Amino acid sequence: MTGKPPSGDPVQDAPQVEAPQHAAAGLPAVGHTLRMAQQQMGVRRTALTLLKVNQKDGFDCPGCAWPEPEHRHRAEFCENGAKAVAEEATLRRVTSDFFATHPVSDLARRSGYWLGQQGRLTHPMYLAEGADQYEPVPWERAFDIIADELAALGSPDEALFYTSGRTSNEAAFLYQLFAREFGTNNLPDCSNMCHESSGSALTETIGVGKGSVLLDDLYQADLIIVAGQNPGTNHPRMLSALERAKASGAKIITVNPLPEAGMERFKNPQTPKGLAGAGTALTDLFLQIRLGGDQALFRLLNKLILETQGAVDEEFIAEHTHGFDAFKEAALAADWDDTLTATGLDRTAIEQALRMILASQRTVVCWAMGLTQHKHAVPTIREVVNFLLLRGNIGRPGAGVCPVRGHSNVQGDRTMGIFERPAPAFLDALEKEFGFAPPRHYGLDVVRSIRALRDGQAKVFFAMGGNFVAASPDTDVTEDAMRRARLTVHVSTKLNRSHTVTGARALILPTLGRTERDLQGSGEQFVTVEDSMGMVHASRGRLKPASGQLLSEPAIVCRLARRVLGETSHTPWEEFEKDYATIRDRIARVIPGFEDFNARVAHPGGFTLPHAPRDERRFPTATGKANFTAAPVTHPELPEGRLLLQTLRSHDQYNTTIYGLDDRYRGIKNGRRVVLVNPTDADQLGLPDGGYADLVSEWTDGVERRAPGFRVVHYPTARGCAAAYYPETNVLVPLDATADTSNTPTSKSIVVRLEPTSPA
Ligand SMILES: Nc1nc2c(c(=O)[nH]1)N[C@H]1C(S)=C(S)[C@@H](COP(=O)(O)OP(=O)(O)OC[C@H]3O[C@@H](n4cnc5c(=O)[nH]c(N)nc54)[C@H](O)[C@@H]3O)O[C@H]1N2
Ligand SMILES: Nc1nc2c(c(=O)[nH]1)N[C@H]1C(S)=C(S)[C@@H](COP(=O)(O)OP(=O)(O)OC[C@H]3O[C@@H](n4cnc5c(=O)[nH]c(N)nc54)[C@H](O)[C@@H]3O)O[C@H]1N2
Ligand SMILES: [Mo]
């Protein structure tokens, strides 16, 4: 199986390599931001737009889910937030004419970068069966096409309703309501590939699948451990919070196979010292761990804590936890040598970490994809919970779990019911409020949806945002599966790969972005989002929409629901479309924590959702207590001559949206097909720096998956590990390689061999 690099592309992927940097942001970031923004938006629009990002009367940055501080700077955004905004607020347009000159067969040869660079989608487009060209279609006809295909299904479970995490609370609530009135819980979402492991582990152990800290907790912490996360690129505003925490005396331990510039030093572009000076050193102790070694590390640390006199919080354990004895027995069995093998760390580094941990009265652990995308991701995160419970680090100021979410409203979408395995209480509330019987059996997640398409069990694929075929694992398998659908529909702002790999028929439905004014029957609307720390606030777009033809996401769902469900639905879809406040009134009645929603969200800055473990040290788990767990410790096995590959983000991309071809902090320029390899490993494997290699993944199904033509870069990553960018490497991730319990693709641990080749 081969994922060929796209040809016929004006962009040449010709990587140049410099030494990696050791500090993030500062003046170069500001220059970079303005340059990229102005290319897309021009000078005036750049100034107008960027000043509204994350202001109390402005729109929520579509960049990431990091919360807004109470005291905001006039420019409360970051380089990568600005790129996300520019990508949406661009003045470039993909009109109906564009599709007339670019048949699908042409678009399918283009790179994701090229597709995204064409600009905003302006008109609903339809690809008829057997056709090679999208044609403009009136909205009503588009809804007819969808309704016809849905009506032809043997069962509602043959339809899939995917969501990416930018969708607002209002749109997400309506979307899941529509899917369930239609009769299915098939609501796969990007979370299935992202923080599902965090949700699984936290729900089981503390009873709430979300983080338990607020920004103030970070400022009050004595110790912050950042494991498996690269905030300098993916959550740049987190660096300001870490800087402030350090100023109040916090220590930081970074756990990562890569030395990431953002965690080394931060030059805050919002302060004169940060702009021009040396900035703040963030990391006090860097643990350069091997991929997948985190469970072993935390298990050993737990043993060492248990063996230290007076180190565990006995009162907390006795009063609030369950399962301590079994956990203690397992933890005491942890072995130094096994841990050193699994982690690649040396003993003194772990002992130093232990001293910092014991010296801290208030510890926070932050993590992202480096922990969630492994086979043993769920037990790894459970071990982090064990670690925090041991010293009572949950439910008091300055302490707790902090899974840092990705998409700007991915957490809110889940709160709104975008979940293939909804809780019975949620369905009960929906049933009571809307007077229909929602389906009670579980629906399909992302990986199961792909299998269902592949096996002909699902026939209609509808996506509320995202880029499913590029973001999903096993690109060739996923693309073949998608081609077997009867109908594929994408509600999108920008052109992407998923519009070119279609079912027999396909629709592109262009929608408003966060930055744009949303005018409906009752006047100008706002929407709401929930950030990574459970804060809910309003988001108001100000820009003129990219085209007069765009419909908002809530409007699309309302019109679709009316057309598909007709008389059978007693839900006031028309009223919802006219006035989003009426949607919020219903959310308030269905979802706990949203009581009096409209009044509370009118408050500048919004409100914080309740979180029982954080607020009252109450743990709504099956045992009624916080659960210690005692899973066996594992780590990825690496056969001789192989490397463990992680697939990660460059500094110039937002998931499958490629902003540019540089990864500034890692010293990579003008290309994305690079593989970072430890120099000692590279020498042993006969891979010179600057040479080229195919990446070949080896999986138990015996199929060899190949990503050709990567430039080898000798790079200071942990031994045995390699790194390359996603989505190019998704071709290597087997569909069946998923995390236990959460079913998340193991995008951070793929066994590969590197086959030297000549440059493409
Ligand atoms: N600019 C920008 N911002 C984004 C995104 C984007 O693409 N671009 N994506 C958004 C989304 S959806 C998400 S989910 C987040 C993702 O945010 P991150 O999780 O920071 O994203 P990744 O690039 O996948 O980086 C994973 C980090 O974990 C480390 N790592 C990998 N494996 C391991 C491991 O086994 N153990 C440890 N300890 N570390 C490991 C990697 O070296 C890397 O530093 O960012 C969000 N924000
Ligand atoms: N190998 C590998 N694979 C991964 C990952 C990895 O680390 N490695 N990370 C995984 C993670 S964490 C995630 S979250 C997923 C991301 O998966 P997705 O969320 O599906 O992918 P995105 O690239 O974020 O989606 C980008 C598209 O969203 C559309 N869009 C942007 N804004 C809006 C909007 O406001 N409304 C609508 N309707 N559409 C909009 C645009 O058309 C754009 O092309 O990928 C996962 N895949
Ligand atoms: Mo994500």
Side-chain angles (χ1 to χ4, degrees), residues 503-514:
R505 311 163 85 186
L507 285 161
I508 301 174
L509 307 180
T511 193
L512 291 178
R514 284 277 171 81

Side-chain angles (χ1 to χ4, degrees), residues 183-456:
T184 184
N185 283 316
N186 285 347
L187 288 155
D189 73 341
C190 69
S191 234
N192 298 146
M193 301 183 267
C194 182
H195 266 293
E196 196 69 62
S197 303
S198 308
S200 298
L202 293 176
T203 305
E204 182 192 339
T205 54
I206 65 167
V208 179
K210 301 181 183 182
S212 74
V213 304
L214 300 172
L215 274 180
D216 270 336
D217 293 308
L218 281 185
Y219 305 151
Q220 292 174 46
D222 295 329
L223 176 66
I224 301 170
I225 301 180
V226 180
Q229 193 198 348
N230 177 22
T233 285
N234 298 315
H235 307 90
R237 286 177 303 118
M238 178 173 166
L239 299 186
S240 325
L242 293 178
E243 184 185 42
R244 188 165 156 190
K246 288 224 74 167
S248 337
K251 298 274 186 239
I252 295 179
I253 299 178
T254 297
V255 189
N256 203 308
L258 293 172
E260 303 281 29
M263 287 308 299
E264 290 184 56
R265 188 167 278 281
F266 174 50
K267 300 184 180 182
N268 191 338
Q270 275 141 3
T271 62
K273 180 171 153 256
L275 267 185
T280 309
L282 292 181
T283 296
D284 295 283
L285 175 65
F286 175 41
L287 298 180
Q288 187 163 31
I289 198 165
R290 288 195 175 165
L291 290 167
D294 304 81
Q295 188 199 13
L297 172 66
F298 279 99
R299 178 62 62 87
L300 181 74
L301 288 169
N302 287 338
K303 168 191 162 102
L304 300 175
I305 293 170
L306 280 164
E307 288 172 349
T308 306
Q309 193 65 34
V312 305
D313 186 339
E314 281 165 17
E315 217 179 291
F316 173 80
I317 292 172
E319 196 178 334
H320 294 292
T321 71
H322 175 270
F324 178 67
D325 293 339
F327 157 72
K328 183 174 174 183
E329 195 187 322
L332 288 177
D335 179 73
W336 264 105
D337 286 341
D338 291 349
T339 309
L340 298 184
T341 307
T343 60
L345 299 170
D346 59 43
R347 194 175 172 122
T348 50
I350 297 181
E351 284 168 347
Q352 196 182 339
L354 179 70
R355 281 195 295 278
M356 292 168 73
I357 290 159
L358 294 174
S360 164
Q361 293 309 309
R362 294 176 290 264
T363 301
V364 172
V365 182
C366 303
W367 71 88
M369 297 305 100
L371 259 52
T372 64
Q373 298 176 332
H374 290 281
K375 178 153 180 20
H376 59 316
V378 175
T380 298
I381 296 163
R382 286 198 209 120
E383 201 59 34
V384 170
V385 173
N386 289 336
F387 169 80
L388 290 167
L389 292 178
L390 261 185
R391 287 173 56 75
N393 276 313
I394 283 190
R396 59 186 167 79
V401 284
C402 185
V404 183
R405 303 277 160 172
H407 268 301
S408 52
N409 197 42
V410 61
Q411 184 160 316
D413 290 349
R414 191 50 74 80
T415 308
M416 291 299 120
I418 302 293
F419 194 21
E420 76 283 355
R421 291 172 288 133
F426 174 80
L427 295 179
D428 293 344
L430 219 52
E431 177 157 7
K432 183 156 167 265
E433 181 65 25
F434 293 98
F436 74 103
R440 296 279 166 168
H441 58 282
Y442 285 170
L444 302 174
D445 62 9
V446 163
V447 165
R448 293 187 177 95
S449 292
I450 296 166
R451 290 195 193 117
L453 287 163
R454 179 194 64 193
D455 301 340

Side-chain angles (χ1 to χ4, degrees), residues 497-571:
R497 176 80 187 156
S498 297
H499 304 127
T500 71
V501 181
T502 69
R505 311 163 85 186
L507 285 161
I508 301 174
L509 307 180
T511 193
L512 291 178
R514 284 277 171 81
T515 54
E516 289 165 317
R517 199 176 302 134
D518 185 352
L519 203 58
Q520 302 294 345
S522 71
E524 207 169 301
Q525 308 295 313
F526 66 87
V527 292
T528 62
V529 293
E530 172 186 343
D531 66 34
S532 199
M533 295 183 173
M535 308 272 302
V536 179
H537 61 90
S539 174
R540 265 184 203 85
R542 302 288 184 182
L543 297 177
K544 185 166 173 255
S547 129
Q549 280 288 322
L550 304 187
L551 288 184
S552 73
E553 291 183 352
I556 290 172
V557 180
C558 289
R559 293 186 193 193
L560 180 65
R562 280 168 59 199
R563 177 64 187 78
V564 172
L565 304 172
E567 299 291 289
T568 63
S569 176
H570 305 299
T571 301

Side-chain angles (χ1 to χ4, degrees), residues 43 191 250 277 286 325 428 434 476 486 522 594 656 711 714 747:
V43 177
S191 234
F286 175 41
D325 293 339
D428 293 344
F434 293 98
D476 294 344
R486 283 289 315 150
S522 71
F594 284 83
T656 69
R711 183 200 193 278
H714 287 199
S747 311

